[in-house]
Amino acid sequence: MKGTRYCLLMLVVILVLFIQNILTGSIHIPYRDVISILLGHPTTHDSWRYIVLESRLPQAITACLCGGGLAVSGLMLQTAFHNPLADPSIFGISGGAGLGVALVMLLMGGSLSAAGIEATGFIAILLGAFLGALSVTAIIFFFSSIVRSSVMLLIIGVMIGFMSSSVISLLNFFATEEGVKSYAVWGMGNFGGVSMSYMSYFACPTIFGIFISIMLIKPLNALLLGEEYAENLGISTRLIRNILLLTTGLLTAVCTAFCGPISFIGLAVPHISRMLLGTENHRYLLPATILTGSVVALFCNLICYLPGENGLIPLNAVTPLLGAPIIIYVILRRMR
C-alpha cells in the first residue's frame, strides 16, 4: 500500500515538474502563451512556438525517459551483482559510448563513414556513441557466457572502462584544441539533444528497455536471496544475467548516445527509492525507481535553467550535487 501511494505521489510530482520544465527557460514566455501553443492555438510569436514545441517539450520528455531508464539500469545491476555502488558506467558501457564519440570528434574530424555512407555532425556523434556502447555491451555479453562469477564479470567491466578512459586520454592529448573543447562539452551531458524529429528513435528503444526491466521483477526478487536460492526456484541465473546485461546495455547506449554520459542518476536514485520506501521488494521498488529517476532528471534539468538569461549550467555539474551526498550516506550507513 505504501508503494502504491509513493508511486502516485511521484506521478503527481512528475506532472508538476514536467509542466514547469516547459514553462521555464532562458527566454521568458508567459504561461498563457505556452498553454495556447500546446493546445495548437495561433500565437503572435512564431519563435515562441518553435521554442516550446521543438526545444522545451522534447527536452522534458527526454529527461523523463532518460532518468527512468538510467535509474532502473542501476537498480538491476545493484541487485544482480549485490553491489550497492554498481551503476551503468561500472561495466564501461558509458565509457564505450565516450570512446565512440572521441573517435568521431578527435580522430575522424567529426564525420563517420562506412560502406559508402557518410554521416557528419550530430548524426555522426550519435552513431559513434551508440556503436561504442553496444560494442562494450557485446564484449561484456561475451564474457558473461564464459565467466560464471558475478564478481569477476564486474571486475572485467571495470577494466574495460579503464581501457576506454585510457584511449580517450590519448586521443585528447593528440587532438586539436577545438576538438578537445567539443568533446568536453558533450561530456557535460544535456537533455536538449533530442528534437521531435528524432524523438521516436530515442523513446521507442528506451520504453522497450524499461518494459523488459519490469518483466524481470520476479527474477530480481529471487536474486536478492542469492543465486543458489534462485536456481532452486527454477530460475536460470545466467540467462537472467544475460537479459539484464542486454537490457542495461540498450538503455545506457541509447541514453548516452542522445544525452551524453549522465552521472549519478543510475547510482543514487535506487538508494533514494529504497530509503523512501523502506523495502527491497522489486514489485514496488522497481516502478518506484523508474518514477523517481524521472523526477530527479526533470528536477536537475530545471535547476540548469534557473540562472535565466545568464546561460545554462552543465547537467553533470548538477547531478553529483544531488547524488554524491546520497552515496556517502549509504556508505556510512553500511559501515555502522
Side-chain angles (χ1 to χ4, degrees):
M1 197 68 183
K2 183 179 179 181
T4 303
R5 290 198 300 268
Y6 178 85
C7 289
L8 290 175
L9 176 63
M10 288 297 103
L11 285 172
V12 174
V13 175
I14 287 173
L15 179 61
V16 172
L17 289 174
F18 192 92
I19 294 172
Q20 193 60 45
N21 269 266
I22 297 176
L23 295 175
T24 304
S26 56
I27 297 175
H28 174 69
I29 302 177
Y31 74 93
R32 293 180 183 274
D33 291 278
V34 173
I35 295 174
S36 178
I37 291 170
L38 292 175
L39 293 176
H41 297 159
T43 179
T44 55
H45 299 273
D46 290 335
S47 60
W48 287 1
R49 177 179 297 275
Y50 179 84
I51 290 171
V52 172
L53 297 181
E54 295 298 327
S55 178
R56 295 184 185 179
L57 180 59
Q59 192 165 350
I61 296 173
T62 301
C64 197
L65 292 176
C66 184
L70 292 178
V72 76
S73 296
L75 174 64
M76 291 191 294
L77 291 175
Q78 290 170 14
T79 301
F81 294 93
H82 302 284
N83 188 332
L85 299 180
D87 77 328
S89 64
I90 199 169
F91 281 102
I93 300 173
S94 298
L99 178 57
V101 172
L103 290 171
V104 172
M105 284 187 175
L106 306 178
L107 187 65
M108 302 178 184
S111 63
L112 184 65
S113 59
I117 301 175
E118 184 174 353
T120 58
F122 172 74
I123 301 298
I125 294 172
L126 184 66
L127 290 174
F130 191 72
L131 292 175
L134 287 186
S135 297
V136 173
T137 302
I139 294 172
I140 296 295
F141 184 76
F142 169 75
F143 279 110
S144 70
S145 63
I146 300 175
V147 179
R148 185 172 181 82
S149 172
S150 296
V151 176
M152 295 304 297
L153 188 61
L154 197 64
I155 294 173
I156 291 173
V158 172
M159 293 302 105
I160 292 175
F162 280 134
M163 291 172 62
S164 299
S165 298
S166 178
V167 176
I168 292 172
S169 298
L170 289 173
L171 290 172
N172 273 306
F173 181 78
F174 292 106
T176 62
E177 182 179 348
E178 183 181 351
V180 173
K181 183 179 179 180
S182 299
Y183 182 76
V185 170
W186 176 82
M188 293 177 181
N190 178 24
F191 289 134
V194 187
S195 63
M196 274 301 182
S197 58
Y198 288 102
M199 182 56 68
S200 60
Y201 299 106
F202 169 75
C204 290
T206 305
I207 293 173
F208 176 74
I210 292 174
F211 174 77
I212 295 298
S213 68
I214 294 174
M215 296 295 101
L216 295 174
I217 287 177
K218 184 177 178 181
L220 286 170
N221 275 336
L223 288 175
L224 283 175
L225 301 175
E227 293 189 4
E228 292 184 1
Y229 179 82
E231 293 282 357
N232 290 333
L233 291 178
I235 297 174
S236 174
T237 55
R238 176 169 290 189
L239 175 62
I240 294 301
R241 188 177 65 179
N242 290 341
I243 295 174
L244 185 147
L245 285 173
L246 290 174
T247 305
T248 301
L250 174 65
L251 287 171
T252 307
V254 173
C255 291
T256 306
F258 280 93
C259 307
I262 310 299
S263 61
F264 275 98
I265 290 182
L267 180 59
V269 170
H271 294 296
I272 296 174
S273 301
R274 288 189 186 96
M275 287 188 293
L276 294 177
L277 278 179
T279 181
E280 291 281 351
N281 187 346
H282 286 73
R283 181 181 176 185
Y284 307 107
L285 182 59
L286 192 140
T289 300
I290 295 172
L291 296 176
T292 306
S294 297
V295 168
V296 170
L298 287 169
F299 181 67
C300 289
N301 190 60
L302 191 60
I303 292 177
C304 292
Y305 278 96
L306 283 183
E309 297 180 0
N310 295 326
L312 302 178
I313 298 175
L315 185 61
N316 279 336
V318 175
T319 52
L321 295 177
L322 297 176
I326 301 296
I327 302 306
I328 293 172
Y329 173 78
V330 170
I331 294 173
L332 294 176
R333 185 178 174 184
R334 285 181 172 267
M335 288 177 62
R336 292 172 186 168

